[in-house]
Amino acid sequence: MKTSNILTSFRQSHLNGVINAESGLPGDKSISHRALVLAATAKGVTQLTGLNVGEDVEHTELALKNLGVKITQKTTTIRQIHGLGGWHFNQPVNPLYLGNSGTTARLLCGLLASTPLNVMMYGDSSLTQRPMRRVMTPLIEFGCQFDATQENTLPLTLKGSSNLHPIDYVIPVASSQVKSAIILAAMNTKGISRIIEPIQTRDHTERLLQYLDYPIRYQLLESGHTQIDKDIVIPGDPSAAAYIAVAAMICPYSKVRIENISWNPFRSRIFSILQEMGGQIKVENIRTECFEEIADIEVSSSITKPCIIKSADVPALIDEYPILAVAAAFAEGTSVFHGLRELRYKESDRLNALYRNLNLCGIEAHIQDESLIIKGIEPRPIFGGTTINAGRDHRIAMAFYIMGLSARNPVIIHGGDSVRSSFPNFVEMFNTLSYLRAAS
Ligand code: S3P
C-alpha cells in the first residue's frame, strides 16, 4: 500500500459503516509477531489467518525467512509456516534489517539467544534509538552475549549459545516485549526458568503457548518441549480499532461498527476508559478463539467528559495514550494521565510529542513530572490548521489525523507514511467511512 508522507485530514460531518478484516482492519500486531515466531519453532505446518499487514510484522516474517524458515503466502493475511521442529535456524547471510519494529528486535533477541548463531540486527532512525538493555540484561544472565553501541541500542550483534542455563528473573520494567523475549529464551534452555512480572503486561505469548499445549505455568516455565502445531486465527487489532472508535465519538452523526477485535483484558482497557468518559460504545458477542477473547463494538457520536488515568493503568493502555489524548482534547475539562515515563521510549518520545503537538493544535497541555495534563476544549471547536511532524511514529501520525477529522481547519501530518508500520489501510478506511455516509 502506497501512503503519502504528508497526510491531510479534514473535518467530517459523519462517519458511518462497518469495519472488519474484509474492510481493512489489521490483525492484531502483537499476536501476529508471536504467532510467526512460535510457529517457526513448532513441529509441522501452522496456518496463520488474519496476520497484521503492516511493515513491523513483515519485518518479523522477513527475518524468519532469512533465518531459514519456509513461509508460504496464501493471501495477504494468510501464511503457512513450515516449522523447524525446534530452534534449528540457519546463520543469516546478511545483517537483519528490522525497520521500525521494536517488538521484532526484542522478540528476535529472545528467540536467537539459545542458538549458536551470531546475528547482527539494525533498524531505522527511530528503532536505532530505542533501549535494548532491558532485554540484553536477562539474556546475558542466561549466558548469551551481545556487542551493541555504548548506549545499548541497535545495531547490535547477538552471540547466542546452545548451552544457556535457566534463570530466576524479576522483570524490572513493565514490558511484554521483555517478558516474551525471556520466555522464548527459556523455552529452549534446559531446566526451569522462573519469570516474575511485578506489574502484569499483555499476555499473548502465554495464551498462545497454552493454546499450543506448551507446558507453561505462571511464574514457572518448563523448557525442552516442542509445542504442537495448530492453526492460529488472529483477531483484529484493538489498538488500531481505538482510532476508529475515537473518530466516531468526536465526529457528529456517526455510527461505526467494528467487528472481531481482540478483547484481551490487557488490550481492551481503552474502550472502558472511553465509556467512562461518556463514549457511546456498545460491546457485543464476547467470545473466545485460540485462548483469546474477541468482541464486536458499535460506537456513536458522544459528548465526553475528562478522565484521570492512574499509573497502574499504563501497561493496559501503553499504545493508546496518543488517541486517548485526542479524546481528552475534545472533552470539557481537564484530563490527567499519570506515570507516562515509558512513553519516552516508544517509536518517538511520545510524552513530548503529545505535549508539543496538542499545543500546536491549540489545546493547552503540559507535562508535570511524568504526567500529561490536557485541558479539553469541548464545546468550543478545535481550530486545527496546523502542521505536525510525526517523524517515524505511526501512533502520533494516526492520532493527529483523527484530531483533524473534527477540527475546524485541516490538520497536516508530516511523516504520514509511518502508518504503514501497523495500519496500511488507515487513510482509505476513513475515506470509505465518510463516502458511505455521502452515498447513503
Ligand atoms: C508490545 C508491547 C508494548 C507495546 C508495543 C507492542 C508487544 O511494548 O508498546 O507496541 O507486542 O509486546 P513494551 O512491552 O515495551 O511495553
Side-chain angles (χ1 to χ4, degrees):
M1 180 79 31
K2 188 119 183 55
T3 315
S4 158
N5 202 29
I6 299 181
L7 302 179
T8 308
S9 69
F10 301 93
R11 190 180 178 96
Q12 302 292 319
S13 53
H14 299 60
L15 293 175
N16 222 297
V18 178
I19 298 299
N20 49 31
E22 287 71 48
S23 53
L25 181 71
D28 189 279
K29 184 158 87 72
S30 289
I31 302 178
S32 296
H33 286 293
R34 288 158 172 80
L36 280 167
V37 161
L38 291 175
T41 61
K43 227 182 216 151
V45 179
T46 304
Q47 176 152 307
L48 310 183
T49 304
L51 199 74
N52 179 287
V53 290
E55 287 180 352
D56 281 11
V57 171
E58 199 180 319
H59 280 111
T60 296
E61 182 178 356
L62 273 175
L64 291 172
K65 284 183 176 167
N66 281 314
L67 289 159
V69 181
K70 186 176 163 207
I71 301 179
T72 321
Q73 174 158 356
K74 292 284 159 192
T75 69
T76 48
T77 58
I78 299 182
R79 300 286 185 284
Q80 282 177 347
I81 320 296
H82 300 254
L84 301 171
W87 267 246
H88 311 300
F89 297 104
N90 291 343
Q91 173 67 45
V93 181
N94 294 312
L96 302 178
Y97 178 66
L98 312 180
N100 190 245
S101 180
T103 312
T104 309
R106 274 82 177 240
L107 293 191
L108 279 187
C109 285
L111 181 73
L112 300 175
S114 62
T115 65
L117 305 178
N118 270 14
V119 181
M120 185 176 175
M121 306 175 201
Y122 67 112
D124 72 4
S125 54
S126 152
L127 184 56
T128 301
Q129 288 175 41
R130 298 185 64 187
M132 294 299 288
R133 185 81 224 169
R134 51 184 60 195
V135 90
M136 288 159 62
T137 302
L139 296 177
I140 289 169
E141 249 186 66
F142 271 105
C144 175
Q145 293 180 322
F146 291 92
D147 273 348
T149 63
Q150 271 198 334
E151 293 77 32
N152 294 305
T153 51
L154 261 52
L156 64 71
T157 302
L158 172 146
K159 298 175 180 172
S161 156
S162 21
N163 209 6
L164 297 186
H165 36 84
I167 63 168
D168 277 8
Y169 194 73
V170 181
I171 305 178
V173 48
S175 166
S176 175
Q177 295 178 353
V178 173
K179 172 177 61 176
S180 301
I182 302 172
I183 291 175
L184 289 167
M187 285 173 72
N188 195 35
T189 299
K190 225 172 178 187
I192 293 179
S193 290
R194 287 179 190 77
I195 305 160
I196 296 155
E197 190 183 34
I199 304 167
Q200 255 195 300
T201 61
R202 63 184 72 177
D203 57 357
H204 301 302
T205 308
E206 297 91 306
R207 285 172 185 250
L208 264 178
L209 284 173
Q210 281 184 297
Y211 171 68
L212 296 168
D213 294 327
Y214 192 91
I216 183 170
R217 275 179 285 144
Y218 287 104
Q219 293 196 359
L220 254 185
L221 184 66
E222 292 174 22
S223 310
H225 296 259
T226 309
Q227 73 266 14
I228 294 161
D229 62 306
K230 281 187 190 166
D231 291 344
I232 299 170
V233 180
I234 299 161
D237 196 317
S239 301
Y243 297 93
I244 304 163
V246 171
M249 282 169 55
I250 64 175
C251 293
Y253 310 109
S254 298
K255 185 179 273 186
V256 180
R257 190 177 164 78
I258 314 172
E259 294 177 339
N260 205 41
I261 56 179
S262 164
W263 209 249
N264 178 304
F266 291 100
R267 307 293 302 286
S268 60
R269 183 84 181 103
I270 179 67
F271 301 103
S272 53
I273 298 278
L274 292 174
Q275 281 173 323
E276 285 163 29
M277 292 174 77
Q280 301 292 310
I281 303 179
K282 272 195 242 156
V283 182
E284 291 165 356
N285 303 328
I286 299 181
R287 57 225 187 249
T288 301
E289 195 165 3
C290 301
F291 272 63
E292 290 275 3
E293 290 92 338
I294 300 167
D296 305 327
I297 60 174
E298 192 174 271
V299 190
S300 313
S301 316
S302 318
I303 307 270
T304 51
K305 44 185 195 290
C307 59
I308 309 288
I309 312 287
K310 298 195 211 74
S311 308
D313 267 321
V314 170
L317 286 174
I318 187 71
D319 291 333
E320 276 61 77
Y321 285 101
I323 192 59
L324 194 55
V326 172
F330 283 90
E332 189 172 3
T334 302
S335 293
V336 187
F337 306 165
H338 289 293
L340 300 189
R341 183 183 154 76
E342 269 297 303
L343 285 204
R344 295 205 184 272
Y345 308 112
K346 295 298 173 188
E347 284 82 335
S348 68
D349 174 347
R350 280 190 187 152
L351 183 52
N352 213 29
L354 288 174
Y355 154 75
R356 199 180 56 241
N357 293 321
L358 285 167
N359 280 293
L360 274 177
C361 290
I363 295 126
E364 224 180 280
H366 55 276
I367 300 172
Q368 203 175 354
D369 302 324
E370 290 168 352
S371 304
L372 180 65
I373 299 155
I374 302 169
K375 207 158 164 239
I377 62 172
E378 175 86 23
R380 285 168 289 141
I382 286 176
F383 283 101
T386 326
T387 299
I388 73 128
N389 188 351
R392 299 288 317 134
D393 192 335
H394 56 138
R395 299 204 190 279
I396 295 295
M398 293 192 285
F400 283 89
Y401 184 92
I402 302 299
M403 177 161 288
L405 297 180
S406 202
R408 189 164 273 184
N409 303 299
V411 173
I412 298 159
I413 295 116
H414 285 220
D417 58 356
S418 61
V419 306
R420 293 200 306 247
S421 289
S422 63
F423 199 161
N425 298 316
F426 178 76
V427 173
E428 275 175 8
M429 181 159 290
F430 285 98
N431 290 343
T432 314
L433 287 172
S434 51
Y435 171 75
L436 281 179
R437 196 262 334 149
S440 64

